[in-house]
Amino acid sequence: MLEYQILQHQTAAIAPIKEKTNMNNSNRPNILWICSDQQRFDTLGCYGNDFVHTPNIDKLAENGVLFEYCYSQSPVCTPSRASFLTGRYPRTTRCRANGQSIPEDEVLVTRLLSDAGYVCGLSGKLHLSVCNPAVTQGTERRINDGYDEFNWSHHPSPDWPTSDFNHWLREKGVEYSTPSYKGSKYVEAGLPAEYHQTTWCSQKAINFIEAHANHDHPWLFSINMFDPHHPFDPPVEYLERYLERLDDVPLPNYTSGELENKTKYQQIDHNGAYNNPNLYPYPKMTDEEHRLVRAAYWAMCDLIDDQVGRMIDALEATNQLDNTIIIFMSDHGEMLGDHGIYLKGAYFYEPAVRVPMIVSFPKAIEPGRRSSAMIELSDIAPTLLEAAQQPPYEGMQAHSFWSILTGESNLNQHRDSVYSEYYDAWTHDNAAATMIRTERYKLVTCHELNSGELYDLELDPGETNNLWDEETYASVKLDLFRQLSDRMAQTVDPLPPRQAKW
């Protein structure tokens, strides 16, 4: 196994260059890793949404495996991304919150693949370190992350002087501007599709795909577009597809009064996301405004689909499609008004932590399968190592699902439960909460409040009725606490490894 040394420098740019391992590359797949931002699971046609227009991702699902129950290890960006890039849990990576920076000694799967001979590239956000232009004026600080090509744009608005996307707009003679859409308080008129950040991210991937078509080495490219993260700013032409059907767009899943026996964080955010009364205050929004926001969010997903189609076309045109693993996923979900809340926070409803996960690889994966196995985003890192014929890294805590993809194990069985956590992660200071979800039940405990939530997902799939204080579910609650305790124990860092019996 390769040895890894803690770096003494802050950025990959000044870290010592390590010679890539020479291996037989003929059987090692390329990897196109598409990660949208804040996209919930039910935003694609292949997941049952009849409103969106996502033929390219739907076809990707037809050509691969669609996972129906994939979960983020945190409902906010940085801890989730640190987890799935390392195969470790947020508390283990010590990157538990937005506004933290990942420690120098964490080892990303892209670093492991780079050391094994892969050429790695990225477009869009990384978000493993502080990304606040008021604090850090330069590009996001990097550790030795393994990316040889780094086209960085944390978000599309032009408040980062080092944003590659904004440099590209200036080269095009385009001024970044997203005015209110017809006076809406909550939806913006985004740039035309050809100048949207999603399109730019995809074009960088296409450039990379084309450039590496005739080279004898495997590659990985990460596309991390900011969409469909708020502000809700799709190209106008995409949004207006929905206007004729706007009255048919369903209102959020919210029952008046349902938050009365739920945590205070939800009650606060009901009156304004992120504890901000001016940010999507649910009670002050009209039905038309709720529907327009949902339509705008879906329109952003439609744009993502178009760009996924362009990237797949590039793979096909360069004869690389058969030997490329394509992953489509998101880092976490979006409440979108469900349960009377917008955006995200210290809660673990299905829209917040359940995400799409589709994997295609024509050379080795039988197409057209849907898996009901519960998987975690953290499982991606060890899966990619196994796919690339690399040994597991001893610091990883997650479990590869490569054998599910290749048909060597049960399509519908991987984990007995999934786990997610929130520790002072940004939206509410000092909030600490953890979730365990089994096939039937979900338990959420808010550690500092001595309260929580319990849902019977078989009887209440919409998670409206909190059973936390129901005596008839006392034994279920106790058993879930036992399972949660076991999962929390499993987040203990396996590093440094034990070397002897004493």
Side-chain angles (χ1 to χ4, degrees):
M1 180 174 292
L2 296 173
E3 295 182 356
Y4 298 92
Q5 184 177 19
I6 298 175
L7 299 178
Q8 301 302 315
H9 304 286
Q10 280 202 327
T11 67
I14 59 175
I17 297 174
K18 186 172 183 177
E19 185 176 349
K20 295 179 184 291
T21 303
N22 291 319
M23 294 184 62
N24 181 359
N25 294 325
S26 60
N27 294 319
R28 294 201 289 167
N30 302 318
I31 301 165
L32 183 65
W33 192 351
I34 307 169
C35 180
S36 60
D37 195 342
Q38 206 159 304
Q39 183 171 359
R40 48 193 271 169
F41 72 99
D42 58 357
T43 52
L44 302 169
C46 53
Y47 280 89
N49 189 315
D50 295 330
F51 286 86
V52 296
H53 184 69
T54 56
N56 296 297
I57 300 174
D58 296 346
K59 185 177 180 180
L60 189 68
E62 292 173 3
N63 292 331
V65 178
L66 180 151
F67 290 91
E68 296 175 329
Y69 298 98
C70 178
Y71 290 82
S72 170
Q73 276 47 79
S74 178
V76 297
C77 296
T78 295
S80 172
R81 290 170 183 266
S83 179
F84 68 67
L85 281 164
T86 61
R88 290 153 61 82
Y89 289 99
R91 71 166 74 185
T92 317
T93 67
R94 297 153 291 165
C95 199
R96 302 172 299 275
N98 284 8
Q100 284 185 306
S101 291
I102 193 167
E104 298 282 346
D105 59 340
E106 284 298 316
V107 179
L108 274 57
V109 66
T110 46
R111 156 93 177 279
L112 295 166
L113 291 172
S114 175
D115 287 346
Y118 274 71
V119 176
C120 300
L122 173 144
S123 62
K125 68 185 291 185
L126 184 59
H127 207 181
L128 296 182
S129 294
V130 176
C131 282
N132 184 336
V135 176
T136 307
Q137 293 301 318
T139 304
E140 173 184 344
R141 160 201 170 272
R142 296 168 62 189
I143 62 172
N144 187 358
D145 50 42
Y147 287 111
D148 301 286
E149 180 176 321
F150 195 72
N151 307 287
W152 183 77
S153 167
H154 177 73
H155 53 223
S157 57
D159 50 358
W160 281 93
T162 54
S163 167
D164 291 329
F165 167 67
N166 296 116
H167 293 333
W168 177 78
L169 285 184
R170 282 191 289 273
E171 291 171 2
K172 298 284 186 180
V174 176
E175 181 181 356
Y176 182 84
S177 176
T178 57
S180 168
Y181 177 72
K182 295 186 176 180
S184 171
K185 298 178 183 178
Y186 309 109
V187 172
E188 298 176 3
L191 291 174
E194 63 181 310
Y195 300 123
H196 214 274
Q197 196 238 24
T198 296
T199 305
W200 172 81
C201 286
S202 302
Q203 186 60 53
K204 289 298 182 180
I206 291 168
N207 294 348
F208 185 94
I209 289 167
E210 293 174 345
H212 290 270
N214 298 314
H215 290 270
D216 184 26
H217 54 247
W219 54 260
L220 175 147
F221 197 90
S222 300
I223 304 96
N224 297 334
M225 65 278 289
F226 196 66
D227 279 1
H229 193 292
H230 66 283
F232 303 110
D233 61 349
V236 171
E237 64 270 28
Y238 281 72
L239 175 59
E240 291 186 340
R241 297 173 182 172
Y242 288 91
L243 296 189
E244 291 183 1
R245 301 181 63 194
L246 194 61
D247 290 343
D248 296 327
V249 171
L251 290 170
N253 168 32
Y254 172 63
T255 300
S256 181
E258 73 166 272
L259 298 180
E260 291 177 4
N261 72 335
K262 298 184 181 181
T263 66
K264 71 175 185 179
Y265 303 122
Q266 298 178 50
Q267 297 166 7
I268 291 170
D269 288 357
H270 176 62
N271 294 304
Y274 297 171
N275 195 12
N276 180 348
N278 297 317
L279 195 62
Y280 307 100
Y282 188 97
K284 295 181 180 180
M285 296 173 65
T286 66
D287 286 356
E288 182 178 4
E289 288 170 332
H290 288 306
R291 289 189 169 104
L292 185 63
V293 169
R294 187 160 293 224
Y297 181 75
W298 286 345
M300 296 163 81
C301 296
D302 292 349
L303 175 61
I304 291 171
D305 183 83
D306 281 350
Q307 299 309 313
V308 169
R310 293 180 62 229
M311 290 184 277
I312 294 174
D313 288 347
L315 287 171
E316 194 164 23
T318 56
N319 297 314
Q320 297 181 87
L321 182 61
D322 285 349
N323 194 43
T324 300
I325 296 173
I326 304 175
I327 301 173
F328 183 85
M329 52 165 278
S330 191
D331 59 349
H332 56 78
E334 154 69 52
M335 291 303 297
L336 207 60
D338 287 347
H339 305 285
I341 305 167
Y342 277 90
L343 310 186
K344 60 200 173 197
Y347 22 85
F348 301 86
Y349 290 110
E350 295 288 282
V353 292
R354 185 174 164 193
V355 296
M357 169 62 70
I358 299 167
V359 185
S360 171
F361 182 30
K363 181 180 284 189
I365 296 178
E366 181 183 346
R369 292 181 295 152
R370 301 177 73 95
S371 172
S372 60
M374 288 190 293
I375 66 170
E376 299 180 346
L377 288 180
S378 62
D379 295 329
I380 296 172
T383 300
L384 292 180
L385 288 181
E386 187 173 359
Q389 304 167 36
Q390 293 301 298
Y393 173 58
E394 59 192 357
M396 288 183 176
Q397 299 167 299
H399 307 298
S400 169
F401 55 88
W402 181 244
S403 62
I404 293 179
L405 294 172
T406 58
E408 299 173 86
S409 63
N410 189 334
L411 175 67
N412 299 313
Q413 181 60 47
H414 183 60
R415 291 178 173 274
D416 294 328
S417 65
V418 288
Y419 171 80
S420 189
E421 57 189 25
Y422 181 107
Y423 294 106
D424 188 19
W426 164 46
T427 61
H428 292 276
D429 292 340
N430 302 316
T434 48
M435 176 208 85
I436 187 168
R437 193 239 199 248
T438 65
E439 183 177 352
R440 177 167 178 174
Y441 298 106
K442 178 182 291 184
L443 179 81
V444 176
T445 180
C446 293
H447 300 282
E448 84 289 2
L449 298 180
N450 193 29
S451 65
E453 298 163 81
L454 170 62
Y455 299 105
D456 185 334
L457 299 173
E458 183 177 294
L459 302 178
D460 179 26
E463 302 174 283
T464 297
N465 184 23
N466 183 10
L467 303 171
W468 180 265
D469 293 320
E470 290 290 330
E471 286 296 325
T472 54
Y473 280 83
S475 61
V476 171
K477 182 178 175 182
L478 182 61
D479 182 63
L480 289 169
F481 265 121
R482 177 191 61 78
Q483 293 187 57
L484 178 62
S485 177
D486 290 344
R487 292 305 307 270
M488 293 175 75
Q490 292 166 14
T491 66
V492 173
D493 195 342
L495 296 177
R498 183 178 181 180
Q499 297 178 327
K501 290 184 177 181
W502 61 84

